[in-house]
Amino acid sequence: MSHALDMPPTANANGLRWRRIKKWFLARPGVARLGVIILLFIVWEIAARFYVDKIFLSPPSQVFTSLHTVFETNGVPRALQISAWEIAVAFGLSVLIGLLVGLAVGLHKFSHRSFMPIILLLYGTPQITILPLFILYFGIGPASKVAFG
């Protein structure tokens, strides 16, 4: 006798339904990611409202509803504008330098053998350990942020 025949019809239907749901989510990983993010926000909301002191953790609903007051605060829009400019310049420079170094290392065997160990060494170094050196060399202003980016 088959094992599927021993099971009640509702158990077999529930198993089939679960397989369809699982297959649907596996075909759409973005929906699953969004579900995880929503679940994290729900856990954050519950924890902040009922289990954690308000001084240490605010609920996301309160954070999002008071976000407009942060943007209306003097200096915040200008600081965001400066940060966006620094990020854009750092991104542009990193694309340009990365493209040039990548082409040089990839197209010439000598430069590949010469520079690849250095690139791998820098790639394996945590960036946070290099940040103080950038601040010492470029100063505390935008130059160090752009260079670090």
Side-chain angles (χ1 to χ4, degrees):
M1 226 187 235
S2 172
H3 181 68
L5 295 176
D6 295 339
M7 298 171 66
T10 56
N12 195 13
N14 286 339
L16 182 62
R17 186 178 305 126
W18 171 248
R19 280 191 295 254
R20 284 183 184 161
I21 291 170
K22 185 178 174 182
K23 185 177 178 181
W24 189 85
F25 273 111
L26 287 174
R28 295 161 184 84
V31 175
R33 290 181 195 126
L34 185 62
V36 169
I37 292 170
I38 291 170
L39 181 68
L40 288 174
F41 274 114
I42 291 170
V43 169
W44 176 12
E45 184 76 32
I46 292 170
R49 288 203 180 270
F50 302 113
Y51 298 109
V52 181
D53 190 5
K54 301 266 190 284
I55 293 173
F56 297 111
L57 185 67
S58 296
S61 59
Q62 184 180 356
V63 170
F64 291 129
T65 56
S66 62
L67 204 54
H68 64 66
T69 59
V70 173
F71 290 122
E72 292 172 355
T73 304
N74 286 338
V76 171
R78 179 70 180 140
L80 289 174
Q81 187 179 28
I82 291 170
S83 294
W85 178 82
E86 291 168 349
I87 290 170
V89 170
F91 180 75
L93 285 174
S94 66
V95 167
L96 180 69
I97 293 170
L99 187 65
L100 292 175
V101 170
L103 285 172
V105 169
L107 293 176
H108 302 288
K109 194 168 187 103
F110 175 76
S111 62
H112 178 78
R113 287 197 319 237
S114 300
F115 294 114
M116 200 60 184
I118 298 168
I119 292 169
L120 291 175
L121 174 74
L122 290 174
Y123 186 70
T125 306
Q127 291 181 354
I128 196 70
T129 60
I130 303 172
L131 180 61
L133 298 174
F134 277 93
I135 293 173
L136 283 174
Y137 188 74
F138 292 105
I140 198 92
S144 65
K145 297 172 195 161
V146 168
F148 184 69

